[in-house]
Amino acid sequence: MIGMDTTSESCPFAFNFNPDTFQPGDIVSYRVTGSMTDMPFVGVILSVHEDRIIIQHGEDPDADGTPMPATRQPRPIVAEADALA
Protein backbone atom coordinates (compact mmCIF):
# COMPACT_ATOMS: atom_id res chain seq x y z
CA MET A 1 0.00 0.00 0.00
CA ILE A 2 1.11 3.54 -0.59
CA GLY A 3 3.20 4.85 2.28
CA MET A 4 3.72 1.42 3.83
CA ASP A 5 7.28 1.10 2.57
CA THR A 6 9.94 3.06 0.72
CA THR A 7 8.47 2.45 -2.74
CA SER A 8 5.55 4.29 -4.30
CA GLU A 9 3.68 1.14 -5.35
CA SER A 10 -0.07 1.45 -5.20
CA CYS A 11 -2.35 -0.98 -3.38
CA PRO A 12 -3.02 -4.08 -5.52
CA PHE A 13 -6.67 -4.21 -4.39
CA ALA A 14 -9.65 -2.08 -5.43
CA PHE A 15 -11.65 -1.96 -2.19
CA ASN A 16 -15.32 -1.05 -1.99
CA PHE A 17 -15.83 1.09 1.12
CA ASN A 18 -19.46 2.01 0.35
CA PRO A 19 -21.95 -0.32 2.10
CA ASP A 20 -24.79 1.03 -0.06
CA THR A 21 -23.15 -0.40 -3.18
CA PHE A 22 -21.83 -3.71 -1.78
CA GLN A 23 -22.40 -6.65 -4.11
CA PRO A 24 -21.10 -10.22 -4.38
CA GLY A 25 -17.57 -10.26 -5.74
CA ASP A 26 -16.56 -6.90 -4.25
CA ILE A 27 -13.29 -6.79 -2.36
CA VAL A 28 -13.41 -5.25 1.12
CA SER A 29 -10.94 -4.42 3.83
CA TYR A 30 -12.28 -5.91 7.03
CA ARG A 31 -11.35 -6.04 10.71
CA VAL A 32 -11.59 -8.88 13.23
CA THR A 33 -12.56 -8.35 16.88
CA GLY A 34 -10.45 -9.53 19.81
CA SER A 35 -6.75 -10.28 19.52
CA MET A 36 -6.59 -9.25 15.85
CA THR A 37 -8.29 -5.84 16.18
CA ASP A 38 -5.33 -3.84 14.89
CA MET A 39 -4.76 -5.88 11.73
CA PRO A 40 -6.59 -5.21 8.44
CA PHE A 41 -7.62 -8.17 6.29
CA VAL A 42 -8.78 -8.55 2.69
CA GLY A 43 -11.99 -10.37 1.89
CA VAL A 44 -14.44 -10.90 -0.93
CA ILE A 45 -18.18 -10.48 -0.48
CA LEU A 46 -20.13 -13.68 -1.11
CA SER A 47 -23.62 -12.32 -0.36
CA VAL A 48 -25.25 -9.09 0.76
CA HIS A 49 -28.12 -8.80 3.23
CA GLU A 50 -29.95 -5.80 4.68
CA ASP A 51 -28.04 -5.78 7.98
CA ARG A 52 -24.90 -7.84 7.22
CA ILE A 53 -22.72 -9.31 4.52
CA ILE A 54 -21.10 -12.70 4.18
CA ILE A 55 -17.42 -12.57 3.27
CA GLN A 56 -14.57 -14.95 2.70
CA HIS A 57 -10.93 -14.23 3.47
CA GLY A 58 -8.83 -13.42 0.42
CA GLU A 59 -9.73 -12.01 -2.95
CA ASP A 60 -10.88 -15.14 -4.80
CA PRO A 61 -14.51 -16.20 -4.23
CA ASP A 62 -13.73 -19.60 -5.78
CA ALA A 63 -10.93 -20.38 -3.30
CA ASP A 64 -11.54 -22.66 -0.36
CA GLY A 65 -12.52 -20.69 2.67
CA THR A 66 -15.06 -20.40 5.43
CA PRO A 67 -17.86 -17.90 4.88
CA MET A 68 -17.97 -15.35 7.71
CA PRO A 69 -20.79 -12.99 8.69
CA ALA A 70 -19.67 -9.36 8.88
CA THR A 71 -21.21 -6.02 9.68
CA ARG A 72 -22.42 -3.94 6.77
CA GLN A 73 -20.29 -0.83 7.14
CA PRO A 74 -17.37 0.77 5.23
CA ARG A 75 -14.82 -1.51 6.97
CA PRO A 76 -16.81 -4.61 7.91
CA ILE A 77 -16.15 -6.27 11.26
CA VAL A 78 -15.98 -10.05 11.74
CA ALA A 79 -16.19 -11.69 15.16
CA GLU A 80 -12.93 -13.39 16.12
CA ALA A 81 -14.73 -16.71 16.71
CA ASP A 82 -16.06 -16.65 13.12
CA ALA A 83 -12.66 -15.72 11.70
CA LEU A 84 -10.94 -18.59 13.48
CA ALA A 85 -13.64 -21.22 12.75
Side-chain angles (χ1 to χ4, degrees):
M1 291 190 184
I2 295 175
M4 300 276 306
D5 57 20
T6 57
T7 69
S8 61
E9 293 181 33
S10 62
C11 179
F13 304 107
F15 295 115
N16 183 349
F17 291 105
N18 185 347
D20 294 334
T21 65
F22 282 169
Q23 58 186 343
D26 285 350
I27 297 175
V28 293
S29 172
Y30 71 94
R31 300 281 182 177
V32 176
T33 63
S35 64
M36 296 180 275
T37 297
D38 295 329
M39 298 175 9
F41 295 91
V42 174
V44 63
I45 297 177
L46 300 177
S47 63
V48 178
H49 306 273
E50 188 174 320
D51 61 342
R52 63 186 166 83
I53 59 175
I54 305 299
I55 63 175
Q56 177 178 294
H57 181 73
E59 61 185 285
D60 182 0
D62 296 324
D64 289 337
T66 302
M68 303 174 289
T71 59
R72 187 170 176 173
Q73 60 190 67
R75 303 230 22 219
I77 297 173
V78 173
E80 185 175 37
D82 293 326
L84 298 176

